[in-house]
C-alpha cells in the first residue's frame, strides 16, 4: 500500500536549539516532513517558491523582519500556506496582530512533542490550534466591549473592584500605590459618569466593559 504524502513544513526560528528540536519532532512524524528550516523571515521568503511549504512554524521575535510581517508576506505570496505562530509571548496584542496577519494558529515555545504534532494535525483538519491560555485570552477579548472608554489598566482595576477587592488589595495586586489606585478609580467614575462602586460595576456589566 502506498504511503500517504507527508505534509511539507517550513520552520522559521532564530534559536538553533529550538529549530533543531522542532526539526526532529516534525520529521519523527509519519504525516509531516521539514522541507527547510531558516533563522530569518528574509531567507524563508526568498526560498518560498522552491520549498513550497504547506505549513510554516513561525517565530515572532526574529532578527530583521519579525514573524508578523513575515507572515503577511508569506500569505500574500502563498495564500494556501497555513502559518502557526510559535512564541514565548502570550501577549494579547501580539496574538491579534498575528491572527490579522493571516496566522491560523498560535502555540508557545514551551509546547511539548505531542502538543506540536497535534497542532500540525489540527491545522490539516482545518482547525486553529492555540494553547489554552491564548484561546482564553482571545475569548475574553471578544467578551469585552471594544469601544470601552476605559484604558487597559482602568479595566483591570474595575474588574478587581467587581471582585470585591479593596484599594489595598488592588494596589498590591497591580504593584501600584494606593494613591494611584484611587486616581484610576476617580477617572473610571468620571468616564462612566457614576458616583459609586456599585454604579460603576452595574454600568460595566451592562455595557460589557469587564
Amino acid at each position: 500500500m502506498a504511503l500517504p504524502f507527508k505534509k511539507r513544513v517550513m520552520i522559521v526560528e532564530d534559536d538553533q536549539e529550538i529549530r533543531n528540536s522542532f526539526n526532529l519532532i516534525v520529521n519523527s512524524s509519519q504525516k509531516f516532513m521539514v522541507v527547510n528550516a531558516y533563522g530569518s523571515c528574509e531567507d524563508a521568503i526568498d526560498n518560498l517558491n522552491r520549498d513550497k511549504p504547506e505549513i510554516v512554524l513561525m517565530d515572532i521575535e526574529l532578527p530583521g523582519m519579525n514573524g508578523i510581517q513575515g507572515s503577511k508576506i508569506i500569505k500574500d505570496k502563498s495564500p494556501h500556506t497555513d502559518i502557526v505562530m510559535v512564541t514565548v509571548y502570550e501577549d494579547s496584542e501580539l496574538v491579534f496582530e498575528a491572527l490579522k496577519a493571516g496566522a491560523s494558529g498560535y502555540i508557545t515555545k514551551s509546547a511539548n512533542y505531542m502538543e506540536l504534532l497535534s497542532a500540525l494535525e489540527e491545522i490539516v483538519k482545518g482547525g486553529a490550534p492555540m494553547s489554552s491560555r491564548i484561546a482564553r485570552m482571545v475569548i475574553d477579548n471578544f467578551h469585552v466591549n471594544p469601544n470601552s472608554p476605559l484604558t487597559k489598566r482602568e479595566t483591570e482595576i474595575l474588574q478587581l473592584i467587581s471582585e470585591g477587592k479593596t484599594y489595598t488589595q488592588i494596589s498590591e495586586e497591580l504593584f501600584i500605590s494606593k494613591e494611584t489606585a484611587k486616581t484610576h478609580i476617580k477617572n473610571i467614575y468620571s468616564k462612566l459618569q457614576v458616583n459609586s462602586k456599585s454604579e460603576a460595576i452595574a454600568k460595566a456589566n451592562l455595557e460589557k466593559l469587564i
Side-chain angles (χ1 to χ4, degrees):
M1 202 172 90
L3 285 171
F5 286 113
K6 290 188 173 189
K7 293 281 180 187
R8 301 167 66 81
V9 179
M10 176 194 275
I11 297 168
V12 187
E13 165 62 64
D14 63 321
D15 183 313
Q16 195 171 351
E17 226 171 278
I18 295 172
R19 198 162 66 233
N20 292 345
S21 155
F22 283 174
N23 210 327
L24 280 170
I25 292 171
V26 175
N27 280 333
S28 72
S29 157
Q30 294 183 337
K31 298 177 185 174
F32 305 98
M33 62 179 237
V34 175
V35 287
N36 239 317
Y38 300 100
S40 74
C41 280
E42 288 85 345
D43 288 344
I45 290 162
D46 284 347
N47 293 293
L48 197 61
N49 289 339
R50 188 194 67 194
D51 293 335
K52 295 183 172 53
E54 291 164 272
I55 303 170
V56 177
L57 287 171
M58 172 73 79
D59 185 17
I60 284 191
E61 282 289 296
L62 288 160
M65 187 188 298
N66 72 28
I68 292 172
Q69 296 164 316
S71 296
K72 279 183 186 159
I73 294 170
I74 289 172
K75 287 300 279 187
D76 281 345
K77 289 177 178 287
S78 178
H80 299 300
T81 299
D82 283 308
I83 298 172
V84 181
M85 307 308 286
V86 187
T87 179
V88 288
Y89 301 101
E90 291 191 277
D91 173 286
S92 56
E93 286 303 309
L94 284 177
V95 173
F96 292 114
E97 283 304 309
L99 296 174
K100 280 192 287 189
S104 304
Y106 204 111
I107 57 174
T108 52
K109 286 190 183 181
S110 56
N112 62 32
Y113 180 95
M114 289 308 297
E115 285 169 330
L116 181 56
L117 290 183
S118 65
L120 293 176
E121 288 188 15
E122 205 174 318
I123 280 283
V124 172
K125 290 175 189 160
M130 289 189 193
S131 73
S132 52
R133 276 187 66 189
I134 287 169
R136 179 64 202 254
M137 203 160 57
V138 172
I139 289 163
D140 285 349
N141 214 288
F142 280 119
H143 287 170
V144 174
N145 183 342
N147 302 315
S148 170
L150 305 179
T151 64
K152 195 176 173 186
R153 175 59 95 198
E154 287 164 357
T155 305
E156 282 176 328
I157 288 171
L158 190 51
Q159 179 66 50
L160 293 173
I161 291 172
S162 75
E163 291 167 14
K165 300 280 168 73
T166 63
Y167 287 143
T168 307
Q169 288 169 321
I170 290 170
S171 59
E172 282 171 2
E173 199 156 322
L174 299 179
F175 304 104
I176 56 176
S177 71
K178 253 178 25 183
E179 287 314 307
T180 303
K182 282 179 182 172
T183 304
H184 279 306
I185 291 165
K186 206 185 289 179
N187 290 339
I188 292 167
Y189 286 5
S190 163
K191 285 182 181 178
L192 299 185
Q193 297 175 323
V194 296
N195 300 307
S196 68
K197 283 183 185 179
S198 56
E199 280 181 38
I201 294 163
K203 189 157 188 179
N205 286 327
L206 186 68
E207 296 183 9
K208 287 191 161 55
L209 303 179
I210 51 175

